[in-house]
Amino acid sequence: MDEFFKSNELKWNELAEVNYSSASSDYGVDAFLNGPEGARDLHKTELEELGSVEGLDILHLQCHFGMDTLLLARKGAKSVTGLDFSPVAIRQARELAEKAGIEARFVEGNLYDAPQLIDGTYDLVYVTWGTICWLPDIEGWARVVAHFLKPGGRFYFLDQHPVLMSFDDLAPRPHAPVYDYFHKPEPIAFDGTEAYADESAVLQTKRSYEWTHPVGEVVTALIDAGLTIEYLHEFDTVAWKALSFMEPCEGGLYRLPEGMPRLPLSYSISARKPL
């Protein structure tokens, strides 16, 4: 696994540099630093489902350079902590928090090592967009989530649907699935030098590795870790142009064009740790 994690880390170090730059319209760091008005917000789905975070202690796993972590702080969280495996992203997160004048803690490390890196428990563990596809062990992930929840605490998860991951994102419309829906221990290897948030950027690290995790395995892993599922929602939208022919829609999301079948493109889970 070290080989896969290292390659992914190198790629995400480069992506962090691109995404943090002023040229990245997807993130808009400059607008964020200019204040809440006009800055990028959470996507429509999170805003509708998350509810108030006022007064909560929040842990954001796989936080990238922490913009969403800091958005949660701006929405009234009592404390925010972010974890990411990219040292570049964590350096940027700390810089962004300082520039924005927001108190936050950012920790560098592999998700599976989080219980040894972060103390305490939280009211909300938050995981969204482009996360578990980088992880080989969904059961271990679920145990980490449960470890950090206070009794009665909530886990909120939102990510791309594994059905979407079965398609080739660069194939023309229409096309058939090319990758397995079901999990395999061996990752899928992808080669590419493009950066999703800046079409002009060219990355040096070509190869990355991803794993698929069926919805049923994710839900079962959370239940086995001791959590109670409150809901599972599926959506025909996703937070980025995951397929070349997708069209933008409200709330900063994308969907398939009119006339194509409606497929699940993302899904959310809310779960609680019993009192």
Side-chain angles (χ1 to χ4, degrees):
M1 290 300 168
D2 287 346
E3 171 196 350
F4 305 140
F5 283 137
K6 187 60 180 177
S7 185
N8 286 347
E9 180 186 316
L10 290 172
K11 189 150 212 174
W12 276 101
N13 283 339
E14 289 193 68
L15 286 168
E17 295 283 11
V18 172
N19 296 347
Y20 192 68
S21 74
S22 59
S24 172
S25 59
D26 279 24
Y27 288 92
V29 169
D30 289 345
F32 177 84
L33 290 173
N34 288 333
E37 292 186 10
R40 182 181 74 83
D41 203 347
L42 302 177
H43 292 83
K44 180 175 181 287
T45 310
E46 297 108 295
L47 292 173
E48 291 177 348
E49 293 194 326
L50 194 57
S52 174
V53 298
E54 189 79 31
L56 300 183
D57 294 314
I58 300 176
L59 173 62
H60 184 186
L61 298 175
Q62 295 172 273
C63 70
H64 195 31
F65 65 79
M67 181 172 284
D68 286 359
T69 320
L70 299 177
L71 283 170
L72 293 170
R74 278 185 174 171
K75 292 179 183 297
K78 179 183 176 183
S79 71
V80 292
T81 300
L83 172 86
D84 200 88
F85 76 150
S86 163
V88 173
I90 290 300
R91 172 177 52 79
Q92 293 167 337
R94 292 167 180 162
E95 178 182 286
L96 187 62
E98 182 177 0
K99 287 183 176 180
I102 298 173
E103 186 174 345
R105 180 188 180 200
F106 289 103
V107 179
E108 175 194 334
N110 187 295
L111 177 128
Y112 298 112
D113 297 330
Q116 287 76 53
L117 301 173
I118 300 172
D119 296 327
T121 54
Y122 295 82
D123 301 300
L124 174 67
V125 174
Y126 178 85
V127 177
T128 63
W129 298 127
T131 56
I132 61 173
C133 64
W134 305 105
L135 301 176
D137 176 10
I138 204 65
E139 291 81 12
W141 166 81
R143 289 192 294 269
V144 169
V145 168
H147 170 87
F148 284 111
L149 282 173
K150 297 176 182 179
R154 180 189 181 196
F155 172 55
Y156 180 73
F157 173 76
L158 173 65
D159 211 336
Q160 63 185 334
H161 200 288
V163 164
L164 176 59
M165 293 183 65
S166 67
F167 293 93
D168 177 358
D169 59 350
L170 298 178
R173 169 191 178 195
H175 65 295
V178 295
Y179 301 111
D180 288 342
Y181 172 87
F182 294 100
H183 175 74
K184 295 190 297 186
E186 309 81 25
I188 305 169
F190 293 98
D191 288 319
T193 58
E194 66 279 353
Y196 63 89
D198 181 356
E199 293 182 356
S200 67
V202 179
L203 306 180
Q204 297 301 308
T205 306
K206 293 179 65 175
R207 176 148 292 192
S208 60
Y209 299 91
E210 299 182 29
W211 291 264
T212 56
H213 302 288
V215 173
E217 289 188 7
V218 174
V219 170
T220 301
L222 292 169
I223 293 171
D224 288 346
L227 303 186
T228 300
I229 305 297
E230 295 184 313
Y231 62 70
L232 164 66
H233 294 157
E234 296 176 291
F235 306 96
D236 65 352
T237 55
V238 69
W240 60 92
K241 196 174 183 179
L243 300 174
S244 61
F245 47 83
M246 279 184 168
E247 298 176 348
C249 57
E250 62 177 338
L253 301 169
Y254 290 83
R255 63 162 42 104
L256 295 173
E258 285 294 326
M260 291 194 70
R262 295 180 66 200
L263 297 174
L265 304 180
S266 61
Y267 72 112
S268 65
I269 297 171
S270 182
R272 295 271 178 188
K273 188 169 191 174
L275 292 169

